[in-house]
């Protein structure tokens, strides 16, 4: 409850939203309403003008006087009309409503059979001539083992469940439900031997153990270059925490990283490991949560939401790749897992360890100023150097007549890599075939009717799709405006795969993005196929850029390094540098030397040059100086107040009213000198799924008084009738 209170105050949400985020979906309830036609209802002699009321009454009569909300929804699909009719009928005292709340997921159980009488009495009954052979077999089996599940009894004796139930009715067998956990078997990784740390890793491990021994361990940063063996240090620390009788938590930014880590953790810690992430089935996720709450599992690995895991006696919280934006929720409550972990670590006296090869500017600033304890791993574990990086100017490729996704240098490097029997990873952080289709004659491009965005062309299904709301349509043959032909502009992972396949027709080319990953074709299956079958090339979005340890990958190619460099976010440079540094680090992690090729239209850009040199310290100095001048995090805060609604005018007017009230309250609280309000202005994507979006930007420090003032203004705004239909939410230092 204290954690829920922290979420409510910190992230401008309700207590309900906070608790809903903390608990697994299996504990959520769904409302079931049942409507009953009252016996005294004499409605046929009345004139009923309410729309759909007669249809509902007729349905209730046809169904015997009762119907649930699902049946009524089929009868009257429009929800406002249906609710209005139901209110009318309830006011007339013709129907009544009974509401039940049902658990979305219940505990899974199995029936356990055991003898209800002495073995002698049971065997005497079994030997009777009239006793059936199947009944005799069940009783003899139970006399031998004492108890067994009904499923096992039926399997080994050939009996049916009805046979066991019949014996229970006769008093010879008792049936009891037993909870069963829905947890899939995890295949442990094959360990080459005991875990041995090198000198750098051992020094960091000893220092972190000393932090764990403090009364208040605090927060530590493990800054190590890609391939320096941070995971080995994590494993040693988890083992240390378990030795102390405490539990441990390891968070990763991508679901794609959990299978690889899970196998490693299970190999070291066995059945003490639990996994929590959003791709697990509801029942399995709930059962993993129950294992942690009961103390049966003491190590949890998962993504952002696992930070709420009910670990008993928590001693260690690790956030791997702590700088990743996926640690921040995009839905209410818009929490940052890093901040929640630090809060839990402080309350539960546990060490919070942030690990990364490219820490966020805020984290490194706090480490350099002494708020966090800093540990460094400056060399790769195997002693191999970081892969050399070549920057290719795509403008020169176009001048030479090459408009393919891969430059000549990258094509040659891929050919050499395949000839050597090694593997390559190509990064392109845009899925689909082409960014858009553009008419050659009128220059018009098909746009999403529900969003302010162009539709992306997907060649796999021949459709144009919106990556914001999911809208799709069949690709038109000609421009609907003028009838002219279309031309593809930009490139996505689908087209990159087609072009690479055309360059190397004999090689298998794998693709991993949001379009290829599904419930059947999972991250784990794709990566396992790539690793075990030694597929030459893997093309993917950012999910292939981090955390993967693939020793046979010796070449990394970045097809377009400029995609995130020129976005309107103040984190654009940091995001680009992190992504490039991380993906380059996938090469050369084995015994063979690796190499990387970065393709760009701006080869002299300072951020790209620093990423090519893997110079994080140089980038930190550059970026921190720029942020200091602009009072951006960590030297100030950026608070965004976003307004959404279906009526653009109402949204804009609501944003103006909010600004005026906020300015007035800041002035009254004498905080106007510390805060500067900008806007309202349209969001970068002004409309998504038929909802218009405007926002205010508040520059200053998000101190406690400022947060409380913002929360009060937001509550008052949402209560006013004039703002009905306009939603508003607040986010501090987000990634948009």
């Amino acid at each position: 409850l204290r954690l829920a209170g922290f979420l409510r105050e910190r992230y401008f949400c309700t207590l309900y939203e906070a608790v809903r985020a903390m608990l697994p979906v299996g504990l959520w309830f769904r409302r079931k309403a049942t409507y009953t036609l009252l016996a005294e209802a004499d409605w046929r002699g009345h004139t009923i003008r309410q729309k759909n009321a007669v249809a509902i009454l007729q349905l209730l009569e046809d169904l015997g006087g009762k119907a649930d909300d699902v049946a009524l929804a089929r009868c009257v699909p429009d929800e406002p009309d249906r609710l209005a009719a139901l209110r009318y009928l309830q006011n007339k005292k013709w129907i009544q409503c009974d509401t039940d709340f049902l658990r979305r997921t219940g505990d899974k159980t199995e029936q356990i059979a055991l003898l209800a009488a002495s073995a002698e009495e049971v065997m005497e009954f079994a030997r009777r001539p009239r006793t059936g052979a199947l009944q005799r077999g069940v009783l003899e089996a139970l006399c031998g083992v004492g108890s067994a599940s009904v499923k096992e009894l039926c399997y080994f004796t050939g009996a049916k469940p009805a046979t066991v139930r019949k014996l229970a009715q006769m008093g010879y067998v008792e049936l009891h439900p037993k909870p069963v956990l829905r947890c899939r078997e995890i295949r442990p990784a094959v360990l080459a031997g005991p875990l041995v740390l090198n000198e750098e890793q051992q020094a960091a491990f000893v220092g972190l153990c000393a932090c764990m021994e403090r009364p208040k361990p605090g927060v530590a940063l493990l800054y190590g270059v890609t391939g320096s063996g941070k995971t080995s240090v994590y494993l040693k620390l988890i083992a240390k925490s378990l030795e102390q009788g405490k539990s441990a938590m390891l968070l990763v930014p991508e679901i794609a990283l959990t299978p690889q880590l899970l196998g490693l953790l299970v190999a070291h810690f066995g059945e003490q490991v639990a996994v929590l992430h959003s791709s697990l089935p509801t029942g399995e996720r709930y059962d993993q949560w129950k294992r942690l709450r009961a103390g049966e599992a003491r190590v949890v690995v998962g993504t952002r939401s696992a930070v709420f895991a009910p670990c008993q006696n928590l001693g260690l919280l690790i956030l791997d790749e702590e700088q990743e934006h996926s640690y921040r929720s995009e839905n209410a409550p818009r929490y940052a897992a890093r901040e929640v972990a630090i809060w839990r670590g402080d309350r539960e006296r546990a060490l919070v360890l942030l690990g990364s090869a490219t820490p966020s500017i805020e984290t490194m600033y706090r480490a350099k100023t002494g708020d966090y304890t800093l540990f460094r791993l400056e060399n790769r574990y195997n002693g191999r150097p970081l892969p050399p990086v070549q920057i290719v100017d795509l403008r020169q490729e176009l001048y030479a007549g090459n408009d393919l996704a891969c430059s000549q240098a990258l094509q040659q490097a891929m050919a050499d890599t395949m000839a050597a029997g090694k593997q390559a990873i190509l990064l392109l952080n845009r899925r689909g075939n082409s960014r858009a289709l553009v008419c050659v004659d009128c220059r018009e491009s098909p746009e999403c009717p529900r969003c302010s965005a162009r539709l992306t062309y997907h060649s796999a299904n021949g459709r144009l799709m919106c990556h914001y709301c999911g809208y799709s349509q069949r690709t038109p043959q000609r421009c609907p405006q003028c009838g002219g032909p279309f031309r593809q502009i930009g490139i996505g992972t689908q087209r990159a795969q087609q072009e690479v396949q055309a360059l190397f027709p004999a090689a298998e080319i794998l693709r991993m993005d949001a379009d290829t990953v599904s419930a059947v074709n999972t991250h784990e299956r794709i990566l396992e196929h790539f690793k075990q079958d030694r597929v030459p090339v893997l093309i993917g979005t950012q999910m292939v850029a981090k955390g993967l340890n693939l020793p046979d990958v010796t070449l990394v190619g970045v097809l377009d390094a400029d995609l995130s460099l020129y976005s309107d976010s103040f984190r654009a440079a940091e995001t680009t540098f992190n992504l490039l540094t991380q993906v380059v680090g996938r090469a050369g992690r084995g015994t063979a030397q690796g190499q990387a090729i970065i393709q760009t239209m701006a080869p002299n850009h300072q951020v790209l040059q620093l990423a090519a040199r893997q110079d994080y310290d140089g980038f930190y100095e550059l970026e921190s100086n720029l942020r200091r001048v602009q009072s951006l995090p960590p030297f100030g805060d950026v608070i965004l107040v976003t307004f959404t609604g279906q009526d653009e005018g109402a949204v804009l007017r609501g944003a103006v009213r909010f600004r005026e009230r906020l300015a007035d309250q800041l002035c009254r609280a004498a905080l106007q000198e510390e805060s500067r309000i900008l806007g309202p202005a349209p969001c970068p994507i002004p409309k998504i799924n038929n909802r218009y979006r405007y926002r205010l930007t508040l520059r200053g420090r998000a101190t406690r008084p400022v947060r409380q003032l913002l929360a009060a203004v937001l509550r008052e705004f949402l209560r006013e009738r004039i703002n009905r239909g306009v939603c508003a939410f607040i986010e501090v230092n987000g990634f948009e």
Side-chain angles (χ1 to χ4, degrees):
L1 289 174
R2 291 191 183 95
L3 177 55
F6 166 76
L7 294 176
R8 176 180 178 271
E9 180 185 5
R10 184 78 174 174
Y11 302 111
F12 307 97
C13 66
T14 64
L15 279 173
Y16 170 78
E17 290 169 335
V19 173
R20 184 182 172 95
M22 292 164 57
L23 295 177
V25 178
L27 283 178
W28 296 359
F29 285 78
R30 63 180 177 87
R31 177 180 176 273
K32 181 182 179 182
T34 303
Y35 293 89
T36 305
L37 182 63
L38 298 177
E40 61 272 17
D42 182 17
W43 58 275
R44 292 191 179 277
H46 292 77
T47 301
I48 302 176
R49 295 186 176 87
Q50 178 67 34
K51 183 181 178 183
N52 299 309
V54 175
I56 291 175
L57 290 168
Q58 191 65 56
L59 176 69
L60 289 171
E61 280 196 350
D62 294 344
L63 295 178
K66 280 190 177 183
D68 60 16
D69 44 8
V70 177
L72 291 174
R74 287 196 294 265
C75 177
V76 185
D78 187 71
E79 185 177 12
D81 289 349
R82 183 173 70 254
L83 294 178
L86 290 171
R87 282 194 300 269
Y88 170 82
L89 295 174
Q90 285 177 284
N91 291 335
K92 287 287 189 180
K93 308 295 186 198
W94 289 340
I95 66 172
Q96 73 176 18
C97 176
D98 298 309
T99 302
D100 293 318
F101 291 92
L102 308 175
R103 276 270 300 277
R104 289 187 179 272
T105 301
D107 295 323
K108 184 180 180 181
T109 60
E110 66 177 2
Q111 292 288 341
I112 301 297
L114 64 158
L115 294 178
S118 65
E120 293 79 6
E121 183 181 351
V122 168
M123 288 307 298
E124 181 181 348
F125 169 77
R127 294 191 190 99
R128 294 177 184 175
R130 292 186 178 181
T131 303
L134 293 178
Q135 290 181 342
R136 186 181 302 113
V138 169
L139 293 174
E140 289 176 350
L142 285 176
C143 286
V145 298
S147 65
S149 71
V150 173
K151 183 178 179 180
E152 290 174 334
L153 276 176
C154 294
Y155 178 78
F156 286 109
T157 64
K160 301 292 183 184
T163 303
V164 183
R165 289 195 296 270
K166 179 66 175 177
L167 290 171
Q169 292 172 3
M170 297 169 65
Y172 292 103
V173 172
E174 290 181 355
L175 296 177
H176 297 282
K178 176 186 175 183
V180 178
L181 294 177
R182 290 156 289 201
C183 299
R184 69 187 69 183
E185 184 179 357
I186 302 170
R187 186 171 58 187
V190 179
L191 301 178
L195 187 60
V196 179
L197 303 182
N198 62 23
E199 187 175 342
E200 264 190 341
Q201 291 172 320
Q202 184 65 29
F205 171 69
V206 171
L208 289 165
C209 286
C211 293
M212 293 175 67
E213 299 294 337
R214 298 174 188 165
K216 278 210 168 188
V219 183
L221 169 62
L222 182 60
Y223 164 47
V225 299
T226 53
S228 57
K230 294 184 288 295
T231 304
S232 298
V233 179
Y234 299 160
L235 293 171
K236 282 285 191 181
L237 288 170
I238 292 171
K240 180 73 173 177
S241 182
L242 295 179
E243 288 173 9
Q244 296 174 345
K246 298 182 178 181
S247 57
M249 177 186 297
L250 174 57
L251 303 184
V252 293
E254 293 278 357
I255 293 175
L257 306 184
T258 51
Q260 194 175 46
L261 270 177
L262 265 179
L264 196 58
L265 287 165
V266 170
H268 283 277
F269 308 115
E271 294 183 354
Q272 298 184 88
V273 178
V275 56
L276 287 175
H277 58 73
S278 58
S279 287
L280 289 177
T282 302
E284 185 175 345
R285 192 176 184 188
Y286 170 53
D287 286 351
Q288 295 279 11
W289 184 87
K290 286 198 303 183
R291 291 180 63 217
L292 289 162
R293 187 186 58 175
E296 297 174 9
R298 298 167 58 204
V299 180
V300 58
V301 57
T303 49
R304 176 181 65 223
S305 59
V307 74
F308 300 116
C311 298
Q312 304 298 309
N313 194 18
L314 194 57
L316 177 67
L317 298 95
I318 303 172
L319 273 78
D320 192 28
E321 309 296 352
E322 61 84 25
Q323 79 286 348
E324 286 298 323
H325 67 85
S326 53
Y327 280 128
R328 183 177 287 271
S329 172
E330 297 177 354
N331 301 308
R334 291 170 172 78
Y335 67 90
R338 180 174 60 195
E339 294 178 353
V340 177
I342 292 172
W343 189 93
R344 287 194 67 178
D346 180 66
R347 296 306 186 279
E348 303 185 43
R349 300 185 183 277
L351 174 66
V352 179
L353 178 59
L354 310 176
S356 179
T358 55
S360 66
I361 300 298
E362 296 97 308
T363 297
M364 181 55 78
Y365 174 79
R366 292 184 176 92
K368 286 180 176 290
T369 54
D371 293 340
Y372 301 165
T373 308
L374 177 62
F375 298 92
R376 288 177 175 264
L377 300 176
E378 298 183 351
N379 300 291
R380 283 193 155 188
Y381 176 75
N382 56 9
R384 304 288 300 181
L386 289 167
V389 180
Q390 177 186 355
I391 295 181
V392 174
D393 188 349
L394 288 178
R395 296 172 301 180
Q396 298 300 323
E397 292 292 316
L398 291 174
Y399 291 149
N402 178 23
D403 62 350
L404 298 178
C406 300
S407 61
Q408 293 293 334
L410 183 56
Q411 293 178 31
Q412 184 60 50
M414 291 170 64
D416 295 341
T417 300
M418 293 181 192
K422 299 298 182 180
Q423 296 173 293
I425 288 179
L426 303 183
L427 169 70
L428 179 59
N429 204 19
R430 181 194 288 130
R431 62 189 176 100
N433 184 280
S434 301
R435 185 174 64 192
L437 297 181
V438 175
C439 176
V440 174
D441 295 336
C442 68
R443 301 293 188 263
E444 290 295 321
S445 178
E447 292 189 356
C448 176
R450 304 192 297 223
C451 304
S452 304
R454 291 179 173 178
L455 295 171
T456 302
Y457 174 58
H458 287 248
S459 60
N461 56 6
R463 298 185 72 85
L464 295 171
M465 299 181 66
C466 176
H467 290 174
Y468 292 97
C469 72
Y471 171 84
S472 73
Q473 67 179 48
R474 190 174 297 278
T475 304
Q477 297 297 319
R478 312 284 291 185
C479 175
Q481 304 296 328
C482 69
F486 280 119
R487 177 180 175 83
Q488 300 176 15
I489 62 169
I491 186 170
T493 50
Q494 283 184 7
R495 184 172 166 189
Q497 182 184 27
Q498 293 168 1
E499 291 185 1
V500 174
Q501 191 70 74
L503 290 170
F504 304 98
E508 182 181 0
I509 312 298
L510 271 181
R511 175 164 58 93
M512 190 163 82
D513 55 25
D515 295 323
T516 60
V517 174
S518 64
V520 177
N521 196 41
T522 59
H523 301 87
E524 184 177 13
R525 181 169 295 183
I526 295 173
L527 291 173
E528 189 73 13
H529 177 40
F530 178 66
K531 184 178 180 180
Q532 297 298 331
D533 298 335
R534 301 178 63 83
V535 177
V537 180
L538 173 64
I539 301 173
T541 52
Q542 62 178 354
M543 59 181 69
V544 304
K546 1 179 218 296
L548 301 178
N549 186 23
L550 302 166
D552 286 329
V553 173
T554 58
L555 172 65
V556 163
V558 181
L559 301 185
D560 189 348
D562 307 332
L563 281 178
S564 59
L565 191 57
Y566 299 109
S567 71
D568 69 333
S569 171
F570 71 89
R571 299 185 189 273
E574 182 181 23
T575 301
T576 302
F577 179 86
N578 291 346
L579 186 62
L580 296 180
T581 303
Q582 292 288 343
V583 73
V584 166
R586 299 313 107 202
R589 298 173 77 94
T591 56
Q593 174 64 42
Q595 63 171 322
I597 295 176
I598 297 176
Q599 300 181 166
T600 174
M601 289 285 190
N604 296 320
H605 198 289
Q606 203 165 1
V607 171
L608 301 183
Q609 291 287 339
L610 290 167
R613 298 199 298 269
Q614 303 278 285
D615 184 4
Y616 174 81
D617 292 329
F619 172 76
Y620 173 80
E621 290 300 321
L622 171 69
E623 185 68 8
S624 60
N625 288 334
L626 288 173
R627 293 197 185 183
R628 184 181 287 108
V629 171
Q630 302 176 71
S631 297
L632 292 171
F635 308 101
D637 293 309
V638 178
I639 305 172
L640 299 179
V641 188
T642 305
F643 305 85
T644 68
Q646 294 183 344
D647 184 342
E648 184 177 12
V651 173
L652 182 55
R653 289 190 295 271
V656 171
R657 283 192 294 271
F658 190 100
R659 178 198 167 101
E660 291 172 351
R661 182 166 299 151
L662 178 60
D664 179 60
Q665 294 296 326
L666 288 172
C667 183
R668 291 186 181 186
L671 295 171
Q672 73 275 17
E673 297 296 329
E674 304 173 21
S675 304
R676 180 183 172 201
I677 307 175
L678 305 174
C683 291
I685 309 295
K687 185 175 73 168
I688 292 181
N689 204 13
N690 289 324
R691 296 186 67 86
Y692 293 92
R693 300 156 20 115
Y694 281 79
R695 72 184 181 193
L696 295 172
T697 303
L698 187 66
R699 300 286 287 272
R701 278 291 184 185
T703 58
R704 188 183 183 92
V706 171
R707 287 178 180 273
Q708 291 176 339
L709 189 149
L710 278 166
V713 174
L714 180 62
R715 285 195 296 270
E716 188 175 353
F717 176 86
L718 295 176
R719 280 198 299 262
E720 292 180 334
R721 291 179 62 87
I722 194 174
N723 298 317
R724 184 168 294 178
V726 178
C727 297
F729 62 86
I730 301 173
E731 190 173 14
V732 181
N733 299 332
F735 280 81
E736 186 175 354

